[in-house]
Amino acid sequence: MPRPWRVTGGIPGEEADVDVVHRGGNYVHARWAGSPNPSPDRVTVRCEHIDRCGGCPWLHVAGARAHQERADRVAGLFRAVGIDVPVEPRPAPAGAIRQLVKLVAADGTDSRRRSQVTFGAYRPRSHDVSPIPGCLALAPALQRLTRLPPLRLPPGIARYLLARRSTVDGRVLATLVIQDDAPEIHSLERVLRDAGVDGLTLHRNRLDGDAILDPRGETVALWGVDTLRESVAADVFVDVGPTDFFQTNPVVGRQIWAELPSPGAALVDLYAGVGSVVYAAFARNKALRGFAVEQNPGAVGRGRATATRLGADVAFLVGAAGDVAIPASFQGATVVLNPPRGGTVAAVRTQVAALHPSQIVYISCHPAPLANDLAGWVAAGWRVETVRAYDMFPGTPHVETVAVLSR
């Protein structure tokens, strides 16, 4: 049976010359080399790193075509599980750009054979790390971190460098993910402050594999700020810690939260992070009752502090979705699910069903598990009312999908 082709730099329907990169068991991987009749949706790529960074493989696709391709991809995955529903493409608003950077550490030596660490991005289909100075996908303040000079650190110490910029006050909080501590780490303040960093935390991750964070790993503040203030709606702010979940592109995040359906009198969020969804809903209805569940104790503490500051009737509990008992007073509430990439587990679905919610709002960064989860809800008698595909990650095929379900 012929293997399908995956062509980096290609556009569906475009006649093209390609160079075969790899013939795998399931796919033939190739790279676009030119076209005698280029697609009208092909645009010039301005990024100088496109051939050595796998971060933005759709930079050559015009915006309108990219929006539609994402929506069509979601719709196709839904149809494969028996759900035929229109998917609305939602382009990003003006000013939307990534306010979070995740750089990979690479050990090396200088000309005098002294140990040093540089940071960059994985090359396509590789674990080799390539520098990406001035990455255009990032807010300008974060681009400065892509130009860091080599850091004098022993090998095997650094794993990743994360940094988030606040869209409220422009502060930058960096987190160095480490395997082990080293005295040299404590001398990095000057070089990082010169790069615009306002605070540094350390996160210890000794897990095998490529996971950036260890859910049980220790996180400590080294110097400067250790949280950032972010906006979820006009005049409603949350505090975000170094390992808390918050949308990579906050402008698109606020677009999503503003367009969620009204939750009515009560809302249950089982993957709450610092409370972005519940506090965005509170901005529209100050009488809202909220119940939020989150595994990260630091995020829960910050979520509780936000409730106190805003005078919001929101209870935050530490625990895994599906494990924390939800009060009977939330029967019939709107339930919001924003699970990790793998989707929900059976315990969560059972718990949500027992609440007899008025509606379910499902937010997902991975449409394939979303389709599988929705198929289960449809089989249980729910209807998928609306689906929107948001451009959270411009220049990529990745999409943030919001589905609203009702009885």
Side-chain angles (χ1 to χ4, degrees), residues 104-128:
V104 187
D107 291 327
T109 57
D110 63 12
S111 59
R112 298 171 62 182
R113 304 186 67 80
R114 295 176 299 182
S115 296
Q116 63 180 23
V117 173
T118 56
F119 293 92
Y122 285 129
R123 289 178 174 269
R125 301 180 59 250
S126 169
H127 275 72
D128 294 337

Side-chain angles (χ1 to χ4, degrees), residues 14 49 75 85 96 295 303 391 395:
E14 180 186 60
H49 310 303
V85 62
Q295 289 193 93
D391 187 14

Side-chain angles (χ1 to χ4, degrees), residues 14-193:
E14 180 186 60
E15 180 183 2
D17 299 319
V18 302
D19 296 325
V20 174
V21 176
H22 175 69
R23 296 183 184 273
N26 298 316
Y27 297 95
V28 176
H29 296 272
R31 182 179 299 278
W32 183 86
S35 175
N37 185 24
S39 166
D41 297 314
R42 181 171 292 279
V43 296
T44 301
V45 176
R46 296 187 298 123
C47 177
E48 63 181 296
H49 310 303
I50 187 65
D51 292 329
R52 57 180 182 272
C53 171
C56 301
W58 278 18
L59 287 179
H60 62 288
V61 185
R65 175 69 182 271
H67 303 323
Q68 192 60 55
E69 286 287 343
R70 294 186 192 96
D72 289 348
R73 178 182 177 225
V74 174
L77 289 167
F78 284 7
R79 284 194 300 271
V81 296
I83 301 173
D84 192 359
V85 62
V87 178
E88 179 188 354
R90 298 294 292 146
I97 194 169
R98 298 186 203 185
Q99 304 289 342
L100 174 67
V101 61
K102 301 176 181 179
L103 298 172
V104 187
D107 291 327
T109 57
D110 63 12
S111 59
R112 298 171 62 182
R113 304 186 67 80
R114 295 176 299 182
S115 296
Q116 63 180 23
V117 173
T118 56
F119 293 92
Y122 285 129
R123 289 178 174 269
R125 301 180 59 250
S126 169
H127 275 72
D128 294 337
V129 177
S130 174
I132 51 169
C135 171
L136 297 176
L138 304 172
L142 297 181
Q143 291 178 17
R144 297 174 64 181
L145 286 169
T146 66
R147 298 188 178 96
L148 277 177
L151 304 183
R152 298 295 181 196
L153 293 175
I157 296 297
R159 299 184 65 168
Y160 301 95
L161 179 65
L162 317 180
R164 181 182 289 279
R165 175 187 177 272
S166 165
T167 61
V168 174
D169 59 18
R171 290 186 174 185
V172 174
L173 172 60
T175 300
L176 184 64
V177 181
I178 57 173
Q179 177 83 16
D180 289 297
D181 204 348
E184 292 87 345
I185 292 174
H186 300 264
S187 63
L188 299 179
E189 181 171 356
R190 180 173 179 179
V191 66
L192 291 176
R193 284 198 184 276

Side-chain angles (χ1 to χ4, degrees), residues 328-394:
S329 61
F330 284 90
Q331 285 280 320
T334 290
V335 173
V336 176
L337 302 173
N338 187 2
R341 287 177 59 85
T344 59
V345 296
V348 172
R349 297 189 289 273
T350 299
Q351 186 178 55
V352 172
L355 281 176
H356 303 288
S358 58
Q359 60 183 343
I360 299 172
V361 179
Y362 202 124
I363 306 172
S364 173
C365 64
H366 198 354
L370 170 61
N372 291 331
D373 280 359
L374 294 187
W377 289 111
V378 169
W382 287 80
R383 295 188 304 275
V384 180
E385 298 287 352
T386 62
V387 181
R388 289 174 169 168
Y390 289 87
D391 187 14
M392 181 69 72
F393 311 98

